[in-house]
């Protein structure tokens, strides 16, 4: 078993002339790790760096023991971009079959992931004519096709109802229990409670790191939301 | 855990080769499925060239001589090039802006898998398009073709792949579909002006003749016109080779400008 799925060392990313990530040091182990922070703080940028599609200005990222973005890694990472990245003019099943062929996984995986995101009754529907939540589930299903050692999910549950969110988080934990590391960003504070470990990010830096319990205890708050606000105002001061 | 290691091993094994037939064909198949869904675009791709070539025939119907025999082949060479250039640059741009390209590049997809997959798909569409356009020109509109008709189609396909390759290339420089379409006047119209349709290439001023000599569409039009005049195919193959060379060069440029990591 690998010690850390992700090791980020002194990472600097510049986007649009601004330093978006500043000398970031992070390790991500097993379980479900949540990444929380205000809009524009750099969550998506960090995720792009992990999957190897972000240009770096300094530092390094190692994933599953290899340099992030190396060819051997690409089949071992499942990635969901923030905007649902599936083909609007294809059906759910056609989308999944295509990505399954790219990944070289058996087509039986398609049925499995369609069930997992609860889209079995929509599998032959064209994605462009589905609701926002259905589309983002189709996009999530793509990331579940292989048996990735690391799942990077950028706000995968935005716009979904509480029941479905609960089911998906249960799925993330099952995947983590099976040995993969799951890294999820979120805006929704009640989802933070469902993470094994939380990273709070602000302006490209990590300002708190620990289990939900630890973070609440440290700030003496009852819920993550007020803990988060306390930490942010302390950091801003 | 075991399957994970296997996946890792096979990924590492395939990482050495720049192109994987499985993934390339998956891309081509997907692009064709998307086109099949998009009835309107498909109809435009297949019917429009036939309508335009018929219009051209009609225009010259009342004039003396065989103007259609001279201009028709040039149009047959230009249409697949222009249409595939537009379709490809807009489609790949859509792939960039929708995030699917980012997702694919985070997967075990080689740049060449992506580019060649597109070239295959649009090459196939171009073949269908050209069979129809050439069929109508020769069968219905009495275009005189001295050489083999199938070679006319092959030139058209090479030309379409060239358009696809250029379209893939310019999509790297465009942020929006609007910008992508603007590349057409820049890259395509000068080629149309200088390809020998308006002024025979040998009568162009020296400088322009030189420019015309390095533009791929000139060779495609030359090939088409040669095929209508003589049954000797040697020079036609040379022209096809030049067009194919430009297409390969375009794909190589496309691969060079397709960045896995972006800012
Ligand atoms: N394509 C881009 N070009 C230039 N700057 C960018 C680009 N994308 C994002 N940025 C900038 O990088 C910073 C971080 O963006 P990022 O997308 O990582 O934020 P985020 O934490 O994911 O926000 P959100 O919660 O809204 O998704 C922002 O300030 C943004 O303006
Ligand atoms: Mg984001």
């Amino acid at each position: 078993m690998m010690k850390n799925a992700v090791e980020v060392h002194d990472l600097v990313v510049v986007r649009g002339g601004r330093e978006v990530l500043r000398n970031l040091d992070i390790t991500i182990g097993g379980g479900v790790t949540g990444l929380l922070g205000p809009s524009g703080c750099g969550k998506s940028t960090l995720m792009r760096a992990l999957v190897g599609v972000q240009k770096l200005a300094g530092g390094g990222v190692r994933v599953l023991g290899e340099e992030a973005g190396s060819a051997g890694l690409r089949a071992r990472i499942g990635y969901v971009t923030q905007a649902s990245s599936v083909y609007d003019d294809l059906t759910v099943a056609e989308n999944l079959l295509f990505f399954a062929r790219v990944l070289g996984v058996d087509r039986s995986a398609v049925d499995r992931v369609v069930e997992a995101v609860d889209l079995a009754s929509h599998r032959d529907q064209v994605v462009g004519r589905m609701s926002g939540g259905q589309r983002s589930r189709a996009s999530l299903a793509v990331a579940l096709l292989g048996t990735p050692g690391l799942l990077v999910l950028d706000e995968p549950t935005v716009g979904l109802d509480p029941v479905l969110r609960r089911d998906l988080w249960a799925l993330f934990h099952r995947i983590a229990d099976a040995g993969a590391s799951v890294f999820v960003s979120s805006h929704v504070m009640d989802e933070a409670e469902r993470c094994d470990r939380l990273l709070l990010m602000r302006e490209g830096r990590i300002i708190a790191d620990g289990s939900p319990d630890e973070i609440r205890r440290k700030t003496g708050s009852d819920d993550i939301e007020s803990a988060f606000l306390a930490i942010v105002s302390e950091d801003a001061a | 855990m075991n399957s994970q290691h296997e996946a890792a091993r096979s990924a590492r094994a395939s990482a050495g080769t720049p192109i994987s037939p499985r993934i390339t064909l998956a891309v081509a198949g997907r692009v064709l499925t998307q086109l099949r869904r998009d009835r309107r675009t498909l109809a435009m791709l297949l019917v429009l060239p036939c309508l335009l070539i018929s219009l051209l025939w009609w225009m010259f119907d009342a004039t003396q001589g065989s103007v259609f025999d001279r201009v028709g082949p040039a149009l047959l060479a230009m249409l697949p090039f222009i249409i595939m250039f537009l379709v490809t640059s807009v489609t790949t741009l859509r792939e960039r802006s929708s995030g699917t390209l980012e997702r694919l590049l985070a997967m075990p997809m080689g740049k060449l898998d992506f580019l060649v997959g597109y070239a295959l798909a649009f090459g196939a569409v171009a073949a269908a398009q050209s069979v129809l356009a050439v069929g109508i020109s020769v069968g219905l509109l009495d275009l005189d073709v001295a050489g083999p008709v199938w070679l006319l189609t092959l030139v058209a396909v090479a030309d379409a792949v060239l358009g696809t390759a250029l379209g893939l290339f310019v999509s790297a420089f465009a942020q929006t579909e609007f910008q992508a379409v603007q590349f057409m006047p820049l890259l395509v119209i000068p080629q149309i002006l200088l390809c020998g349709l308006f002024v025979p290439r040998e009568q162009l001023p020296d400088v322009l003749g030189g420019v015309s000599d390095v533009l791929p569409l000139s060779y495609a039009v030359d090939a088409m016109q040669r095929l209508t005049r003589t049954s000797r195919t040697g020079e036609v193959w040379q022209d096809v080779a030049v067009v194919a060379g430009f297409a390969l060069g375009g794909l190589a440029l496309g691969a060079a400008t397709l960045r896995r990591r972006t800012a």
Side-chain angles (χ1 to χ4, degrees):
Chain A
M1 193 70 209
M2 202 100 45
K3 273 202 328 288
N4 287 312
V6 176
E7 291 176 356
V8 175
H9 175 65
D10 203 23
L11 177 64
V12 181
V13 172
V14 177
R15 295 185 92 172
R18 287 197 320 115
E19 245 183 36
V20 172
L21 299 183
R22 301 177 188 172
N23 308 95
L24 210 56
D25 287 291
I26 303 177
T27 57
I28 301 170
V32 178
T33 306
L35 178 63
L36 272 86
S39 177
C41 73
K43 301 184 294 295
S44 300
T45 306
L46 173 58
M47 296 194 142
R48 279 168 43 85
L50 297 194
V51 302
V53 296
Q54 175 65 52
K55 214 181 256 170
L56 313 180
V61 182
R62 291 188 72 77
V63 176
L64 303 173
E66 293 185 55
E67 201 63 43
S70 65
L73 264 183
R74 290 184 204 127
R76 304 165 67 197
I77 301 182
Y79 173 42
V80 179
T81 50
Q82 184 163 3
S84 42
S85 43
V86 276
Y87 297 97
D88 274 348
D89 37 11
L90 297 182
T91 67
V92 175
E94 285 166 346
N95 265 291
L96 291 169
L97 263 178
F98 166 63
F99 286 110
R101 285 175 74 192
V102 171
L103 290 168
V105 301
D106 194 75
R107 50 193 302 152
S108 64
V110 171
D111 295 321
R112 173 174 60 80
V113 299
V114 161
E115 292 288 341
V117 299
D118 196 22
L119 279 179
S121 52
H122 296 277
R123 55 174 291 152
D124 294 319
Q125 199 172 329
V126 173
V127 172
R129 288 198 279 278
M130 300 203 309
S131 76
Q134 289 169 335
R135 289 173 43 142
S136 62
R137 277 186 280 157
S139 183
L140 173 60
V142 175
L144 306 175
L145 276 171
T147 38
L150 172 69
L151 259 187
V152 178
L153 311 174
D154 201 351
E155 309 204 14
T157 57
V158 167
L160 302 185
D161 56 278
V163 177
L164 196 59
R165 281 220 315 260
R166 184 200 60 202
D167 291 349
L168 286 176
W169 276 88
L171 174 67
F172 300 159
H173 278 284
R174 281 203 304 280
I175 293 170
D177 290 344
S181 300
V182 182
F183 190 46
V184 195
S185 73
S186 175
H187 262 128
V188 190
M189 291 299 161
D190 70 341
E191 291 191 331
E193 299 281 358
R194 303 182 205 263
C195 298
D196 299 317
R197 177 182 165 213
L198 278 180
L199 298 171
L200 297 191
M201 192 181 219
R202 182 172 177 272
E203 292 178 4
R205 292 169 302 116
I206 300 296
I207 56 173
D209 176 358
S211 71
D213 271 340
E214 285 166 354
I215 286 182
R216 268 193 310 258
R217 216 176 308 126
K218 202 155 51 183
T219 55
S221 320
D222 295 331
D223 57 286
I224 287 291
E225 180 142 14
S226 35
F228 184 61
L229 289 172
I231 291 170
V232 168
S233 54
E234 188 184 318
D235 182 70
Chain B
M1 231 45 239
N2 230 341
S3 64
Q4 208 166 297
H5 287 311
E6 262 160 47
R9 205 174 320 120
S10 75
R12 234 169 274 133
S14 64
T17 54
I19 188 158
S20 136
R22 183 194 80 231
I23 300 178
T24 305
L25 290 177
V27 173
R30 186 212 84 214
V31 173
L32 288 176
T33 313
Q34 283 179 295
L35 273 181
R36 231 178 35 227
R37 277 284 137 65
D38 187 354
R39 291 275 157 76
R40 208 167 298 175
T41 301
L42 196 60
M44 297 268 271
L45 286 175
L46 296 180
V47 178
L48 204 59
C50 299
L51 291 179
L52 289 175
I53 197 100
S54 305
L55 175 67
L56 190 78
W57 168 83
W58 196 11
M59 274 163 56
F60 292 113
D61 191 33
T63 61
Q64 295 296 315
S66 53
V67 188
F68 179 65
D69 281 336
R70 187 173 72 81
V71 183
L75 194 69
L76 282 178
M78 267 163 14
L79 285 176
F81 175 71
I82 298 171
I83 294 174
M84 290 306 158
F85 175 85
L86 275 178
V87 172
T88 312
S89 51
V90 170
T91 330
T92 27
L93 210 81
R94 224 168 49 178
E95 185 123 36
R96 263 175 225 278
S97 51
S98 71
T100 45
L101 183 63
E102 172 166 326
R103 166 167 247 163
L104 286 175
L105 291 177
M107 285 185 175
M109 147 113 30
K111 295 178 192 176
L112 281 180
D113 295 331
F114 181 81
L115 296 170
V116 176
Y118 262 95
L120 280 181
F122 286 133
V125 174
Q129 186 184 63
S130 307
V131 166
L132 285 176
V134 169
I136 285 195
S137 307
V138 176
L140 231 56
L141 309 177
D142 292 327
L143 181 72
D144 280 325
V145 179
V149 174
W150 63 266
L151 194 50
L152 212 67
T153 311
L154 184 80
V155 175
V157 171
D159 221 20
V161 174
L162 174 72
T164 298
L166 271 184
L168 286 165
F169 172 58
V170 303
S171 77
F173 299 101
Q175 251 91 50
T176 62
E177 293 171 17
F178 196 53
Q179 288 177 2
V181 174
Q182 304 295 321
F183 276 104
M184 181 164 135
L186 179 69
L187 286 178
V188 176
I189 293 188
Q191 297 206 51
I192 294 175
L193 293 180
L194 297 176
C195 74
L197 179 61
F198 297 98
V199 177
R201 295 212 299 128
E202 51 279 8
Q203 290 170 29
L204 283 170
D206 285 350
V207 176
L208 293 183
V211 174
S212 165
D213 282 345
V214 295
L215 296 178
L217 193 62
S218 311
Y219 293 87
V221 170
D222 274 359
M224 288 290 194
Q225 286 178 338
R226 264 194 251 279
L227 275 169
T228 53
R229 281 196 310 264
T230 88
S231 57
R232 281 179 295 113
T233 55
E235 284 175 298
V236 176
W237 282 111
Q238 277 176 22
D239 290 329
V240 171
V242 172
V243 175
F246 271 101
L248 285 180
L251 284 177
L253 280 177
T257 50
L258 186 63
R259 290 265 172 260
R260 215 176 270 279
R261 287 182 186 272
T262 48

